[in-house]
Structures are given as structure tokens and as C-alpha cells.
Amino acid sequence: MAARGTARRGAGGGSARGPDPQEEPPPPLQAVLVADSFNRRFFPISKDRPRALLPMANVAMIDYTLEFLTATGVEETFVFCCWKSAEIKEHLQKSKWCRHTSPNTVRFVTSDLYRSLGDVLRDVDAKSLVRSDFILVTGDVVSNFNISKALEEHKLRRKMEKNVSVMTLIFKESSPGHHARCKEDDIVIAMDSATNRVLHYQRTQGLKRFRFPMSLFQNSIENVEVRHDLLDCHISICSPQVAELFTDNFDYQTRDDFVRGLLVNEEVLGNQIHMHVATEEYGAHICNLLMYEAVCSDIIRRWVYPLTPEMNFTDDKNQSYTHSKHNIYRGVDVSLGHGSVLEENVLIGQGTVIGSNCSITNSVIGQNCRIGDKVTLDGAVLWDRVHIADNVEIHHSVICDEAEVKEKVKLKPRCVLSSQVVVGPGITLSEGTVISLHPPDEEEEDDDQFSDDSGVNKESKVKLKGYNKKDVGSEGRGYLWKADDKNEEDEEEQRQSLWGPAMHSEEESESDSDLSMGSEEPDSRAASPQLDDIKVFQNEVLGTLQRGEEENISCDNLVLELNSLKYAYNISLKEMMQVLSKVILEFPLQQLDANLDSQNYFSALLPLLKNWTPLFKNYIKRASDHLNALYAIEEFFLEHDSLCTSIAKVLMTFYQLEILEEDVILNWFSLRDTSDKGKQLRKNQRLQKFIQWLEEAEEESSDGDQD
Amino acid sequence: MGRRGGGSGSAATMPGAERGSELSEQIEAFAARLRRGGERPRSEDTARQTLSLLRKIVGNGRWSRAGELMDLIRTEGQRMTAAQPSETTVGNMVRRVLKVIREEYGRLHGRSEESDQQESLHKLLTSGGLSEDFRTPYPSLRANVIEAINEMLIELEGTTDNIAMQALEHIHSNEVIMTIGYSRTVEAFLKEAARKRKFQVIVAECAPFCQGHEMAVRLSKENIETTVMSDAAIFAVMSRVNKVIIGTKTILANGALIAVSGTHTLALAAKHHSTPLIVCAPMFKLSPQFPNEEDSFHKFVSPQEVLPFTEGEILAKINVHCPVFDYVPPELITLFISNIGGNAPSYIYRLMSELYHPDDYEL
């Protein structure tokens, strides 16, 4: 209600200024915040809490994102929620963003039907929410970036060349090996250094060699920069066209799809993507726990200033901290026992009690935690109301709300205890252990993870099954998700997916294969699938032609179909040419009989060639195309010795149908660097006769040009 | 704020409610701006913005008695100071306004200004701490307080000029002056002196922000002979320097400074060579706080300037700090030049009691 009131007043103010058309105020800056990741990277943690609400240095991630948007001057934010939308809504309504004094009006758009970023943007378009350029972010971005400069550049570009540039991607400069650089998000970008235009965009995950299309360096751009020192902040400035393009291309799921699609079809659609590199400001996107840890420590180390804990930018009374040297942040009513040492980079939330002789370093501790005596915390992230008993050791692990760790438990690095789990006493959790109250196998049971009610009916199931005491200790509660053992590859994958570095979730690998099309030639490892691609493509072409023959489809439509196939398999024109020639020449063999003699073969082929002349003409335009077609024909006849004799006739037909030109045929014939077989083929009498005839014909037409 | 607006439902009070929520929006925006820091605001601008916001609170706020107004100002003041504790100017302006309200109330209450100014020991003892309760409503109080705040705003306009006017008394021909970083007050001070005298200025660059570069550029445009040098050279050059003139962020109650980092080094070097250290600071930078109150005077910004984020792998293994301010103890300071004249650090306590009421030291 309050938000609506503000908006109305804002609108009223606008109309009051309305009469003066010259000084019409620019439309308010809008933002689309996608508070859902559309993947399960944070499972099982995100089963209890949506990713946007995970506390990052005791403040929910979405608050950082909203603060970033507000600080940068956004006046209206659309928050799109899907998974656990009610919780996100509740959180935001309690926060300062929904107070009427907030300069940034937050509106919610909730739907359980969103399955990807693409769905969200299509909805933005359908509801026509945005009026001008808007900022697109996900709910897990932490940044202190001031977008105004990039926005100005973006607007200027759009003014200079009407609607050509549709998107500006924001990157942060950071060299490879940086701890806040997540390997799965690594990218290689080729850009035009004069205009900052993105020419090529490729994710590097899993690739050892990168290939760039030659066309990058061949066109008129003077300086092309290839950069690998960029961190993708997942912040982009979009024009309203972006939403429309998502609607037009219903297969775009992610922003990557969009960027790739736009770059591939740049010549067709005429849209361009630009980029902006931030050098001083901070910006990071939390995509896995490794990043979560890295960004947490960056916040504590004040890289994200002014979004530091003691600034209390959420204006929440429970979040006031004092900052003292060595980056120790203390909330209100924190008690620290005798002999306990806070070494450095420690954040302690309000009402937490720490026992004596503890040693705490590089850790984040939430509100109202109870920590016993002689506890060692190193790089631990504790959420709210966590209980830690005496003599516990925790290294680089995440412990969620209300979890309990009993006496003498030792957590090796990269352990995760999700909420309300109890472990111990007296056990050691090996590296990478994940324990949750949700049994892991239930994941397969219900597919509809994104629906809100999935959490409810599980409680009963949980109670039915006993906890494995070996995993969680004699008083423990919770199921082991991933142990460190590598017996099952799936599980290993899952564990890494939580923490990050070299993961291959389904989605990722899918996008990988898409990627290889983005670049003209994938790396050597992907070479074999590329060959397969051609094979598959060839079959598809054959199928299309057969259908065309049977259903008598017009050549124009066939060309359309072949073109779409060509794009679908990312086939170059040259390959297209070869495949087409080969398929058509093989067609009679496929149709009739594999052991056709040359006479019958030709009589079967002739009507086909006549029928499909427009097809060839569509693809064979330049001299090099002619030559390629000839090579394909030659290759075919080399493979089919028995049909050798009909080559002259075939060539003759091509010539008569004006598909191939005589110069090129002559050229091809006189080529020397051919194989022995090729030479033999050229010795074919009929062929020689044909060539002779051609030469004579040419001599007749153009006097004395020969020799 | 919203509750107040909603409570008065009648149509007649709607504009007031509207203004009330607008005011609260403005205060929020001001606090947010302070919090974000951004482009290093001038203290003078901050002071002016604070004053005009306070004036709006006095003008539009719902209060009838002086006590209510003071509570209102105090709560809003706390909100604004909490946003950025290192911007002490905000708190100072709030205290000044509180003092003004006390004075105006006292005047309306029929107490002479004299008695308020000079509270004798005898009076302190006899009155038994029975201070006024600020209960009596005076309709003219609102106008009077706004008038007094307007006067303060006018006074603010002239502060830099007032300080610069004293330049000729302190800078003599052919002297070598050293300064650090960039201070608008010092810039005006030196420029004023340069109109009559010829002297040389050495500017310490004040890494990592290097505001000294800007200072040097601005001074040399006025044809002042200017040299920029690195902070490390301060001690080496000090023997040649006749006077050190610096600006500051805050003057604390004990006469110490919170100034840009590097100032302490400079002050120690000056002390070692017995070079006089002159601090140019307008009175609104005088804060009744002491240095040992919490750690709120610290301001650590992003380490980006010290070690860029692009360094890569090494950043995970090290801690980088980038403090903005130094604490300079009062014994290193020779003289304060403010808009009301020159004073020694030992006299600060007196200025303090003139500017602020003791009850307001703690907001």
C-alpha cells in the first residue's frame, strides 16, 4: 500500500511538470531483479531458504543487491520470485525497502511457472513493465558499482545508432587465479577496444584451448582485444528490446543464450552488445559456496565499502556493529569469554555468547549463537542461533540456522550442516561432508522442486527413516548427503556443485555444447562431436529432401528448412555445400538400390537435379562455392567406382542447368595436386571428351583468351 | 512519521502530512548519501545540508513545546550521525541547533542572556541542577529558532573567507610552507596570502588517494611556487620548512585532530624540527567528543587504492587496510585558525562551552 502511495505521488509530480514538454524528466530508472537462480546449486541449503535470502555476513544477499540498485539511482525495482516466493516477499516487506521513505519502489511479481531467466523476461515483455533502459540483476549480486557512467555510455550509444546496441554487460577487472573468481563462470571475451563492443563471448569452463572465429580479426575493426581478466558481475543494462528479443526467441533460457544468440545473428538482426569494465568498484555474483565464502571474506575485508557490516545499510536495529582494528566487527550484547581470542576478520552478530579460550579467525558468526569453551573456528560461517559445544574445531565450513554441533566434533574443510542438523558428539566429519534433514534420495522423488509446497510433506518422510549414527554421531540428526568418497560419480558431482570449482551440472554441460557452436571451431576435444554433427546434419538433409520429394515441397521451402538446419547444427556454408551435393548424388542410391549401374543411376538422378536446381543455385554463388561443389562431386565418384562413367554426364547436367560454370569446371580439371585416384578419374574418356567440348565451346565464345 | 501523517485524517491537514513524509524522505536520502560516502563531500556542504534539514524539521515538525522540539531534533540527529560517524559536522550542527533552542527558549522565558552565559560556581551550587523543563509553549519560538538557524547559515557562508583573511598575519615573504593533501580552507588561505606575498609551498601528495596532486595543481594555477613530493620525504624536507599549514576533518574536545592519514607523520616531523604547525579549521568542525569514545572515528575504506583488486591470487592470503584518518594529539599542534580568530589547543575547551550546551555533548 505504502509503495503504491509513493508511486502515485511520484506520478502526480510528473504530470505537474508535464506542461513543459522540453524539460520532461527522464523516465525513472528501473531494474529487474531475478530472485531465483533456476538451478539447485545451493541444495540442500536452499531447500530451507531461498538463495536470495542466504545471509552474507549476516545480511541477506538480496539486500546487497537492492542496496546496490538503490545507491545507483534505481527508482523502481521489479522483484521476480519463484522458489519460496512467500519468504522473499515477507523478508522484503519487513525491510527498509518497503518503507515509504525508500527512494526505490519495490514491486513483486511472483509466479511458480518461471523456469528460467528467459521466462522472467518474457513476462516482463508480456506485462510491458519496463518503459526504458533497465538494469537486469540476479538476487545474489554483491556490488558497490555505480552504474551511472555505464548507463550514460549505453544511452549515448543508443542515441548515436538508433536501437543497435541492446545490452551493456558489466565486468569487473580481476586477474585469473583471484579467489573471488569462480572457475565455472570464467569467460573469454573478444571486444572492439575502440567501441567496447563484444565480438565474441565464450565460457571457458572445461576448455583447454580456445578458438576464435577468423572473421573477428578479418573485418574492419582496428583493435580487437581478447580478454580473460574479467569477472562477470551478472549485472547488465538492457534496453526494452531485450525483453522483446526474449519473447521472439522462445528458446533463450539464460542470459548466455541471449548473448550468444545475438552475437551469432548479429548480421541478421543488427543488434550489438557492449561491455563496461569496472576497475575500482567491486562486483561479484555468488554462484556456489566457494564464491559465497570468497565474497563473505571480501565484505569483511572491506572490499565492498561502503557495504560493510558496521555501515548497517539495511537500517535494521539488530544489525548494528562496531568495527575495530584487524577487521573485528561486534554486534550489540556480544559476550566473549576469558582467554578467547578474535584474531582477525571476524564478524559476530548481536546476542552471541562465546565461551572461554576460543580462537576465532576469518569467521562470520550470526545472531544469538552459543559457542562453548576451547572452540576453534577458522574460516567458518555460522548462521543464526547455532549451538556449538566445547572443544569443537571447525575449518572453512558453513553451518546453517539452528544447527547444533556437540562436544569434540571436528569439521574438516568444506563441510555443510544445513538447518537444524545435529552432529556429534565426538566424531570427525571428513572433507566435503554435507548433512541435511532432508534425505538426499527424495530429490528424485519429486520433480517439482521449485514449487513451494514441496517442503511440507517431507517432514513425515523424514521421521520414518532413521538417521545413520555412523554419519552424524550418536546424538545426531540428519542425513548424509555427500561424503568425500568418490564411489559414485553423481554424488561427487553434487558435492562439487555446492562448492564449485570444476562442476558439471546438466545445465552447464548443455550450455557447453551450445557454446561450441558459438565458436566456429571448438577445441580439439570437441572435434569428434563436431564430425558427428556433420553426419547428423547430413542425415537431416537427406530426410528433408526425401520428404520434399515425396510431398512435392517447393524448393523455396526446402531452402528455408535447410537454412534452419544449417544454423541448428552450426554448419558453415562450405560444409553445407559439400553435404548437399553428396546427399543429392547419393539420393538415387538410397532410394532405389545400392548397386545401380551407371546408366540407371544417371537416369534416376537427372529429374532430381532438375527439380532441385534452385537449391544449388541458392548455395552456389561464388567461384569458391563452385569449386567446393566440384570437390564434393569428385569425392562421391571416387567413393563409387562403378558409377565413374557417369561423372561426365552429371557434370554436363550441372553445366546445362547453369549450376556450375565452365571456367570453374576447367579449373577444377586442371588442378594438379590431386590424389592418384583423382588423376585416374580425370583420365576417364567421357570426362575428357566433356572437358574438350567445354574448352572448344569457350574458345568459340571468347576468341583467343586461351593460353 | 507515517503514523503522524495517518493520524490526522482530515483533508485540511493533508498538505502537512505530505510535507512530513517528504521531509522524512529527505532525511532518509541525506542519511543514505552520508552512508555511501561517495565523492568526498565538503564539510561545509554537509553542515549546510544538515542545517537546512534541521530548519525544515523546526518549520514543519509537529511540536508545540521546546522540549518536544529538542527530542525531535535529537532523534533525527542521532539517525543522521549514526549513518556516518566520521562526519562529525552533522552532530555538531545538531548540537548547535539544540543550543539555539535553549537560548531562544531562555530568552522567551524571561532569563537574560548574561545569566545563561556566565553560570557562576555559586549559581551552580545554589540552583541545585534544577534545569528548565522546556514545558511552556511559546508560539513565537518557531520563528525565532528558524531565524537563528538562518543566521547560522549566513555565518557558514563566510567561514572560509574569514579564515583566509587572517593569512597575511601568518605567512611572510619568502617562507617555505608545507601542507598535506587537499583542503579547501588551506587552499583559500594560501591563495589569499599569495595576493600580497611571495612564498613557496611544498605539498605532500598524501597517498594512496593523492589529493595532494589536486592541491598542487590548483595552487600553481595561482602562480604560487609549488612542489609535490611523496609522503616519505616529509621528514627529510622538514628542516627547510618555516611553517606547516594543514586542514582537518574534525577537532576533538581535547584539541586533537582527526585529519587525513599522513598528518600524524607530518606533525611529528614538525615537532622534531620545532616547526610551527597551524591548523586551519572553521568552528563547525569542533566536536565535543573525545578520542577514546569507541572506534567510531575510524574510517576504513576499500583497500583497492592500496593494493588493487586485480592483484589476484595474493589477495586471499593477506589483509590490506586502507584507513582514511589519522589521530594527531594536541601537543603537536601550535595554533588553530578558525573563523573567529587564532587559538591555542589549550583553549579549545572554552570555545566548546561557548558553542554547545554541556547537556548536548552526548546526543
Side-chain angles (χ1 to χ4, degrees):
Chain A
M1 284 299 266
R4 223 177 291 150
T6 324
R8 212 184 307 129
R9 202 174 55 243
S15 65
R17 263 171 273 144
D20 199 348
Q22 292 298 315
E23 283 175 35
E24 201 177 314
L29 186 55
Q30 295 173 309
V32 169
L33 194 161
V34 185
D36 204 316
S37 52
F38 304 112
N39 62 32
R40 299 184 191 173
R41 300 301 304 284
F42 274 85
F43 264 42
I45 300 175
S46 58
K47 274 201 160 187
D48 305 309
R49 220 176 199 199
R51 191 204 280 201
L53 295 189
L54 300 187
M56 172 69 82
N58 291 350
V59 175
M61 284 192 211
I62 196 167
D63 287 331
Y64 285 96
T65 316
L66 279 168
E67 170 67 18
F68 152 68
L69 290 174
T70 311
T72 206
V74 173
E75 289 171 51
E76 190 174 23
T77 307
F78 297 99
V79 178
F80 285 83
C81 339
C82 175
W83 167 239
K84 299 224 179 229
S85 51
E87 280 179 38
I88 297 176
K89 211 166 165 176
E90 195 193 332
H91 170 86
L92 288 182
Q93 267 161 356
K94 270 194 261 167
S95 74
K96 79 164 188 179
W97 313 112
C98 285
R99 287 184 210 158
H100 70 282
T101 50
S102 165
N104 184 2
T105 313
V106 175
R107 294 168 204 281
F108 298 96
V109 185
T110 344
S111 167
D112 289 339
L113 298 175
Y114 298 140
R115 282 289 179 277
S116 68
L117 182 76
D119 292 341
V120 168
L121 283 170
R122 280 186 273 279
D123 203 35
V124 167
D125 187 42
K127 292 180 176 153
S128 53
L129 294 174
V130 292
R131 292 182 291 274
S132 70
D133 295 334
F134 64 99
I135 298 173
L136 175 68
V137 286
T138 48
D140 43 16
V141 166
V142 173
S143 174
N144 58 0
F145 185 67
N146 192 340
I147 214 120
S148 51
K149 192 165 163 259
L151 189 69
E152 238 166 66
E153 286 173 9
H154 177 80
K155 286 196 168 145
L156 192 71
R157 270 196 292 268
R158 285 181 58 77
K159 221 173 168 184
M160 302 273 282
E161 276 185 282
K162 197 84 184 127
N163 297 342
V164 166
S165 172
V166 291
M167 193 186 236
T168 303
L169 305 170
I170 310 279
F171 294 104
K172 159 93 189 133
E173 208 172 46
S174 78
S175 46
H178 196 285
H179 69 113
R181 225 177 119 136
C182 136
K183 288 211 176 62
E184 68 179 74
D185 239 6
D186 260 8
I187 38 169
V188 165
I189 277 192
M191 63 182 262
D192 176 356
S193 28
T195 60
N196 282 344
R197 181 153 75 90
V198 178
L199 303 171
H200 182 74
Y201 176 97
Q202 189 175 5
R203 275 179 189 268
T204 63
Q205 189 198 12
L207 299 183
K208 289 215 177 65
R209 292 198 299 172
F210 314 121
R211 301 229 177 179
F212 299 92
M214 273 307 283
S215 57
L216 264 189
F217 309 99
Q218 281 168 338
N219 53 21
S220 56
I221 296 162
E222 226 164 78
N223 290 315
V224 175
E225 261 178 72
V226 176
R227 302 189 66 162
H228 185 50
D229 63 338
L230 298 174
L231 182 73
D232 190 353
C233 305
H234 285 250
I235 303 167
S236 29
I237 305 171
C238 306
S239 61
Q241 269 166 294
V242 171
E244 289 162 23
L245 283 167
F246 266 97
T247 311
D248 293 346
N249 299 280
F250 49 85
D251 55 332
Y252 287 172
Q253 296 296 311
T254 61
R255 200 187 67 171
D256 278 3
D257 289 345
F258 176 80
V259 171
R260 226 161 27 227
L262 228 58
L263 288 179
V264 168
N265 298 326
E266 196 177 303
E267 280 143 38
V268 187
L269 297 168
N271 290 321
Q272 296 180 343
I273 294 178
H274 288 79
M275 58 191 271
H276 180 93
V277 179
T279 46
E280 305 215 333
E281 296 98 334
Y282 186 89
H285 164 242
I286 294 109
C287 51
N288 55 35
L289 275 182
L290 211 67
M291 279 298 277
Y292 176 84
E293 215 186 12
V295 175
C296 245
S297 92
D298 280 346
I299 290 172
I300 302 286
R301 288 165 199 231
R302 309 183 71 79
W303 282 101
V304 204
Y305 182 88
L307 301 186
T308 46
E310 92 280 5
M311 285 297 171
N312 189 14
F313 63 88
T314 52
D315 218 5
D316 180 350
K317 272 198 204 79
N318 301 331
Q319 293 287 358
S320 64
Y321 294 93
T322 57
H323 172 226
S324 35
K325 58 184 173 185
H326 304 304
N327 289 339
I328 309 283
Y329 303 84
R330 257 172 303 195
V332 186
D333 293 331
V334 168
S335 102
L336 191 64
H338 182 76
S340 287
V341 183
L342 306 178
E343 272 173 49
E344 53 182 16
N345 304 325
V346 179
L347 173 74
I348 304 176
Q350 183 205 32
T352 289
V353 177
I354 297 172
S356 56
N357 295 319
C358 296
S359 159
I360 301 174
T361 174
N362 296 320
S363 298
V364 174
I365 301 171
Q367 295 174 6
N368 299 314
C369 293
R370 295 275 170 283
I371 294 174
D373 301 339
K374 291 183 191 148
V375 172
T376 307
L377 301 180
D378 178 12
V381 178
L382 272 53
W383 294 6
D384 296 346
R385 298 178 297 281
V386 172
H387 282 243
I388 306 237
D390 302 346
N391 296 311
V392 171
E393 250 183 76
I394 298 175
H395 299 277
H396 296 278
S397 296
V398 176
I399 298 172
C400 302
D401 285 341
E402 291 166 38
E404 198 177 339
V405 181
K406 304 244 181 214
E407 287 90 7
K408 290 184 184 153
V409 172
K410 201 171 164 193
L411 266 66
K412 293 253 180 82
R414 292 190 286 131
C415 288
V416 176
L417 304 184
S418 88
S419 64
Q420 297 176 332
V421 163
V422 183
V423 287
I427 61 163
T428 300
L429 297 183
S430 56
E431 216 170 287
T433 312
V434 178
I435 295 176
S436 166
L437 278 189
H438 304 281
D441 47 350
E442 101 188 359
E443 204 189 335
E444 281 96 54
E445 288 166 21
D446 57 340
D447 274 330
D448 202 22
Q449 287 295 334
F450 294 108
S451 73
D452 237 359
D453 52 6
S454 54
V456 183
N457 49 7
K458 276 163 204 163
E459 298 299 321
S460 51
K461 275 189 238 158
V462 170
K463 274 163 198 144
L464 294 179
K465 297 180 188 173
Y467 302 113
N468 189 347
K469 300 290 177 210
K470 249 199 284 177
D471 293 336
V472 294
S474 54
E475 294 166 32
R477 287 190 330 124
Y479 297 99
L480 185 67
W481 269 55
K482 307 306 157 227
D484 194 36
D485 53 1
K486 297 179 179 170
N487 50 4
E488 240 183 293
E489 207 167 291
D490 249 12
E491 295 204 348
E492 173 66 7
E493 225 168 65
Q494 268 286 340
R495 178 181 70 84
Q496 290 199 325
S497 78
L498 201 52
W499 281 97
M503 59 73 52
H504 296 272
S505 76
E506 293 165 60
E507 198 187 36
E508 291 292 329
S509 53
E510 210 173 275
S511 62
D512 251 7
S513 63
D514 288 351
L515 264 175
S516 48
M517 342 173 333
S519 58
E520 198 141 81
E521 293 262 355
D523 68 330
S524 58
R525 279 192 317 140
S528 49
Q530 178 76 4
L531 283 179
D532 287 342
D533 262 5
I534 291 187
K535 271 245 167 73
V536 176
F537 175 66
Q538 193 176 326
N539 288 338
E540 291 274 356
V541 171
L542 184 65
T544 312
L545 290 183
Q546 272 173 353
R547 213 154 35 78
E549 173 72 8
E550 283 158 17
E551 298 170 17
N552 215 356
I553 297 171
S554 81
C555 273
D556 285 348
N557 288 347
L558 279 180
V559 166
L560 272 182
E561 280 192 38
L562 290 181
N563 266 344
S564 60
L565 280 176
K566 171 173 174 280
Y567 285 117
Y569 290 91
N570 193 28
I571 300 293
S572 71
L573 200 61
K574 182 181 160 192
E575 288 161 339
M576 175 74 204
M577 201 46 254
Q578 288 172 342
V579 169
L580 186 68
S581 315
K582 206 170 160 194
V583 166
I584 293 188
L585 289 176
E586 274 178 5
F587 203 80
L589 302 183
Q590 302 267 355
Q591 288 296 87
L592 305 169
D593 188 356
N595 302 319
L596 226 52
D597 70 346
S598 59
Q599 196 59 42
N600 289 341
Y601 168 77
F602 183 69
S603 53
L605 185 66
L606 192 61
L608 293 177
L609 285 179
K610 277 186 178 153
N611 261 347
W612 289 332
T613 309
L615 272 188
F616 281 102
K617 282 197 174 159
N618 184 58
Y619 292 107
I620 303 181
K621 279 175 182 149
R622 292 166 300 171
S624 58
D625 301 337
H626 290 255
L627 213 54
N628 283 331
L630 279 168
Y631 284 140
I633 296 169
E634 176 183 347
E635 203 177 314
F636 171 78
F637 282 106
L638 286 178
E639 275 174 32
H640 301 270
D641 276 342
S642 58
L643 303 177
C644 242
T645 44
S646 51
I647 184 169
K649 277 186 186 164
V650 172
L651 285 180
M652 187 72 177
T653 322
F654 272 110
Y655 174 68
Q656 280 167 346
L657 291 172
E658 292 178 351
I659 297 170
L660 296 176
E661 281 173 21
E662 54 186 52
D663 302 8
V664 187
I665 299 178
L666 291 174
N667 233 343
W668 163 78
F669 187 76
S670 56
L671 274 180
R672 279 159 205 285
D673 53 339
T674 45
S675 60
D676 291 347
K677 267 187 157 184
K679 277 177 190 151
Q680 257 183 2
L681 186 78
R682 280 180 178 71
K683 279 178 192 153
N684 182 313
Q685 261 197 350
R686 282 164 201 254
L687 186 60
Q688 277 184 340
K689 256 187 196 165
F690 169 63
I691 297 295
Q692 213 177 348
W693 178 82
L694 267 184
E695 278 172 349
E696 279 165 12
E698 191 164 0
E699 262 169 31
E700 264 171 45
S701 63
S702 60
D703 281 346
D705 256 353
Q706 213 74 356
D707 285 32
Chain B
M1 284 286 183
R3 186 163 39 79
R4 253 188 293 126
S8 51
S10 72
T13 54
M14 268 315 277
E18 193 86 321
R19 249 182 306 163
S21 80
E22 214 166 90
L23 178 63
S24 141
E25 248 169 67
Q26 278 172 1
I27 293 171
E28 193 68 29
F30 179 64
R33 216 160 44 237
L34 283 177
R35 200 174 284 138
R36 283 170 203 140
E39 61 293 323
R40 294 175 190 288
R42 283 182 72 175
S43 295
E44 200 184 314
D45 294 337
T46 315
R48 195 176 304 122
Q49 283 163 8
T50 316
L51 272 183
S52 45
L53 271 179
L54 291 174
R55 188 174 58 186
K56 275 183 194 145
I57 295 173
V58 174
N60 303 336
R62 298 191 102 234
W63 57 274
S64 51
R65 298 182 176 86
E68 288 168 15
L69 175 62
M70 282 165 73
D71 285 341
L72 191 61
I73 298 254
R74 220 172 262 136
T75 42
E76 293 303 333
Q78 272 166 0
R79 224 169 92 195
M80 289 191 274
T81 43
Q84 183 61 273
S86 71
E87 287 287 335
T88 46
T89 321
V90 180
N92 297 343
M93 286 349 269
V94 172
R95 291 185 186 99
R96 288 281 288 276
V97 169
L98 286 173
K99 164 101 170 166
V100 160
I101 298 169
R102 284 172 200 277
E103 279 173 7
E104 293 298 330
Y105 179 82
R107 197 173 292 140
L108 289 170
H109 210 57
R111 208 155 38 87
S112 73
E113 220 171 313
E114 278 299 295
S115 68
D116 192 43
Q117 284 279 316
Q118 295 164 355
E119 282 181 11
S120 66
L121 191 60
H122 173 73
K123 201 183 159 202
L124 274 176
L125 284 171
T126 49
S127 66
L130 254 180
S131 53
E132 298 124 302
D133 52 5
F134 300 103
R135 286 266 180 85
T136 331
Y138 291 106
S140 60
L141 184 64
R142 196 182 293 253
N144 286 2
V145 171
I146 288 177
E147 185 57 32
I149 294 178
N150 284 340
E151 271 170 31
M152 279 164 69
L153 276 168
I154 293 166
E155 182 197 322
L156 265 185
E157 295 290 324
T159 43
T160 314
D161 289 341
N162 284 340
I163 294 171
M165 260 158 49
Q166 306 167 47
L168 289 177
E169 297 166 28
H170 297 280
I171 298 176
H172 307 290
S173 285
N174 298 321
E175 276 189 333
V176 180
I177 312 280
M178 184 185 268
T179 186
I180 188 167
Y182 175 49
S183 153
R184 284 185 180 82
T185 320
V186 173
E187 184 195 348
F189 193 80
L190 293 175
K191 277 181 183 172
E192 178 67 29
R195 286 172 49 205
K196 290 261 173 66
R197 308 243 156 89
K198 202 168 163 48
F199 55 91
Q200 192 192 341
V201 178
I202 299 173
V203 184
E205 64 175 2
C206 199
F209 305 106
C210 295
Q211 303 113 317
H213 297 175
E214 195 188 342
M215 179 77 156
V217 168
R218 281 163 182 266
L219 289 179
S220 54
K221 272 189 191 145
E222 296 287 313
N223 287 326
I224 300 173
E225 199 182 330
T226 313
T227 313
V228 188
M229 56 164 209
S230 72
D231 300 332
I234 287 175
F235 190 82
V237 175
M238 190 55 81
S239 56
R240 292 181 49 216
V241 175
N242 300 106
K243 241 171 226 130
V244 178
I245 300 180
I246 56 169
T248 182
K249 184 78 189 168
T250 300
I251 306 169
L252 296 176
N254 62 348
L257 301 183
I258 301 291
V260 66
S261 63
T263 313
H264 196 185
T265 324
L266 181 72
L268 283 171
K271 189 81 183 170
H272 185 87
H273 288 283
S274 294
T275 314
L277 180 92
I278 298 176
V279 180
C280 293
M283 284 315 287
F284 61 76
K285 289 193 175 175
L286 185 57
S287 164
Q289 288 155 293
F290 282 89
N292 46 357
E293 286 171 20
E294 289 192 359
D295 311 290
S296 55
F297 297 116
H298 286 313
K299 186 170 166 190
F300 286 87
V301 297
S302 161
Q304 168 73 30
E305 297 287 341
V306 183
L307 195 70
F309 193 73
T310 43
E311 271 322 305
E313 274 165 274
I314 191 76
L315 287 179
K317 300 177 190 108
I318 52 167
N319 280 312
V320 193
H321 298 284
C322 183
V324 177
F325 298 124
D326 251 359
Y327 170 76
V328 184
E331 57 268 23
L332 300 180
I333 296 155
T334 318
L335 189 69
F336 284 104
I337 300 179
S338 73
N339 43 328
I340 55 169
N343 294 298
S346 53
Y347 192 66
I348 290 294
Y349 85 96
R350 187 59 216 166
L351 294 175
M352 196 83 68
S353 67
E354 273 173 27
L355 282 176
Y356 312 115
H357 193 276
D359 289 353
D360 299 332
Y361 284 178
E362 195 84 18
L363 269 182

